[in-house]
Amino acid sequence: MRYDVSVVGLYILDILGRPVTRIPDRGNVEFIDEIRLTVAGTAGGVVVNTAKLGLNSLAVGAVGNDEKADFVLGAMDRLGIDTSAMQRLDGVPTSATILNIRPNGERPALHMRGASDHFDVPPSLYDQIFDTPILHLGGTGLLRKLDGERSRVLLEEAKRRGCTVTFDLIAASAETAGLVLPLLPHIDYFMPSIEEARDMSGQATPGDCAAFYLDRGARTCVFTLGAEGAYYAAADGTRLHVPAYDIEVIDTTGCGDAFDAGFITALTHRLEPEAAIDFAQGVAALVASGLGSDAGVQSFDHTRERVAELQAGRRRT
C-alpha cells in the first residue's frame, strides 16, 4: 500500500505561549518564556506525530490560501508527510487557535473557525486516501461540511475497502452525539477523552460509557482519562485500565492527538492492546513535557526507550 496511515479531518495552526498567568490590562505588556507555532488539530496533531514516529503518512484536510497555510503545509512537507491531498481554499482563512498556556499546563483557547468548516472529501480522492491499512478521522464537531452523512459515507467506504478506522472528535457535547452515533458501526477504534464520552452518552463510568458505544456498533473504545490513564474496552469482552505515567506537565495541548498517533503507530507495529496503550501514553507524555502538540516526539525508537523508562518509574512507585 502507498501509505501506513491516512489522516483526515481538522488541520489548525496553533500559536502557543507560556507561561501565561494573566492578560495585561489596557495595552500593557507581560513577558513570557516561550512562543511556538505548530501544526495541530484532531488530524494535524495526529499526522505530525505519526510521521515523527516513522509512519508513511498522508494528510487529508483543508487550509486557506494565506500565510498560515504556508506554515502548516511547509511544516508537514519538512517532516516528509504527503500533503498532495490537502486542499487550499480561496476566500477563507486557515483554521487557527491562540493558546495561553498556564503554569499548570491548562490551555484556555481562542479559536478561529476557517477552512476546515469548508472541507469535504470528494470521491476523486478515494483511491488515494484509502490506499492504506489505517484511516483516521479526527475533528468531528468542527468539520461543518464533512460532519454527518458525508462522514458516514466516507467511513463506510473505508471499511468496504478494508481499512481499519480510528476516530476522534472535538468540542463534544450532547448534541455532537447526533453526528457520532451513526458512524460507530464503521469505527474500529473509538478514541475520545472520557469527558467527551460522558458528554455524548450521559453515562458516568468508563465501563458504562464503553457499553453505550459498543452497543451502538463501535468495535473497540479507547478512552483517555487524563491523570487516571486510559481505558480499553473491546467487543470481545477485553477490558483494560492502564495507569498514567508520573510526569511533570508543561502543556496539555495535543495530548489526546499524540495518544491517537501513538496508538495508530502501535497498531502498525502489531502491539498487543496493553502495550499499545503504554506506547500511546508514552507519546502523550512526551508531548505534555513541552510546548505544542508534537513537543518531545523524535522517533519510534526514542519513544520506545522513553516508554521503558516511564514503565520502570511506574513499577518503582
Side-chain angles (χ1 to χ4, degrees):
M1 288 186 168
R2 201 183 326 182
Y3 306 106
D4 295 318
V5 62
S6 292
V7 183
V8 182
L10 182 65
Y11 284 78
I12 295 173
L13 172 66
D14 271 2
I15 305 146
L16 309 101
R18 65 169 290 271
V20 178
T21 56
R22 70 186 188 95
I23 302 300
D25 298 328
R26 302 188 303 276
N28 295 335
V29 174
E30 288 278 331
F31 295 100
I32 59 176
D33 296 339
E34 190 177 3
I35 294 175
R36 188 166 180 238
L37 307 182
T38 64
V39 179
T42 329
V46 173
V47 80
V48 164
N49 285 305
T50 58
K52 284 189 165 188
L53 292 167
L55 300 194
N56 184 10
S57 305
L58 175 68
V60 188
V63 291
N65 206 359
D66 55 15
E67 78 290 347
K68 295 183 288 295
D70 294 338
F71 177 86
V72 169
L73 296 175
M76 291 195 291
D77 287 338
R78 287 189 291 275
L79 288 171
I81 297 166
D82 187 335
T83 59
S84 62
M86 290 293 295
Q87 302 166 21
R88 293 197 72 151
L89 305 179
D90 291 328
V92 294
T94 300
S95 302
T97 305
I98 297 172
L99 295 118
N100 302 284
I101 310 304
R102 291 174 174 154
N104 66 356
E106 291 178 348
R107 46 188 168 87
L110 301 169
H111 180 68
M112 178 187 69
R113 299 181 72 138
S116 291
D117 268 347
H118 304 269
F119 163 64
D120 196 4
V121 182
S124 59
L125 284 178
Y126 280 7
D127 286 345
Q128 180 182 11
I129 69 169
F130 296 135
D131 197 0
T132 178
I134 300 174
L135 181 131
H136 179 76
L137 175 59
T140 295
L142 285 181
L143 300 170
R144 188 170 291 157
K145 190 171 183 180
L146 185 65
D147 280 347
E149 178 62 11
R150 292 294 305 138
S151 289
R152 190 199 64 77
V153 169
L154 178 75
L155 297 189
E156 182 179 58
E157 182 65 14
K159 292 306 302 173
R160 191 184 73 81
R161 297 195 185 207
C163 297
T164 294
V165 172
T166 61
F167 179 90
D168 200 355
L169 63 151
I170 195 167
S173 65
E175 291 73 27
T176 315
L179 301 174
V180 172
L181 297 184
L183 308 181
L184 292 174
H186 312 295
I187 294 173
D188 295 287
Y189 295 94
F190 180 59
M191 300 195 293
S193 69
I194 188 59
E195 292 83 6
E196 291 166 331
R198 286 171 175 154
D199 287 346
M200 291 188 298
S201 68
Q203 305 299 310
T205 69
D208 287 344
C209 288
F212 177 89
Y213 296 111
L214 293 171
D215 286 348
R216 286 158 178 79
R219 290 168 178 79
T220 307
C221 294
V222 188
F223 302 145
T224 52
L225 311 179
E228 299 302 314
Y231 183 79
Y232 176 101
D236 66 5
T238 302
R239 300 290 185 272
L240 298 169
H241 180 192
V242 182
Y245 298 121
D246 184 15
I247 63 166
E248 180 182 356
V249 174
I250 300 298
D251 171 23
T252 58
T253 303
C255 286
D257 305 329
F259 181 94
D260 293 347
F263 195 83
I264 290 166
T265 303
L267 291 177
T268 301
H269 287 268
R270 295 180 170 81
L271 300 186
E272 292 298 318
E274 187 168 358
I277 294 171
D278 272 333
F279 185 83
Q281 292 195 129
V283 180
L286 285 169
V287 165
S289 69
L291 186 63
S293 56
D294 64 337
V297 180
Q298 298 180 23
S299 67
F300 177 77
D301 288 338
H302 171 264
T303 303
R304 189 167 52 180
E305 291 169 4
R306 182 60 179 144
V307 166
E309 294 169 0
L310 290 167
Q311 288 175 326
R314 181 196 281 161
R315 287 193 293 271
R316 286 195 297 271
T317 58

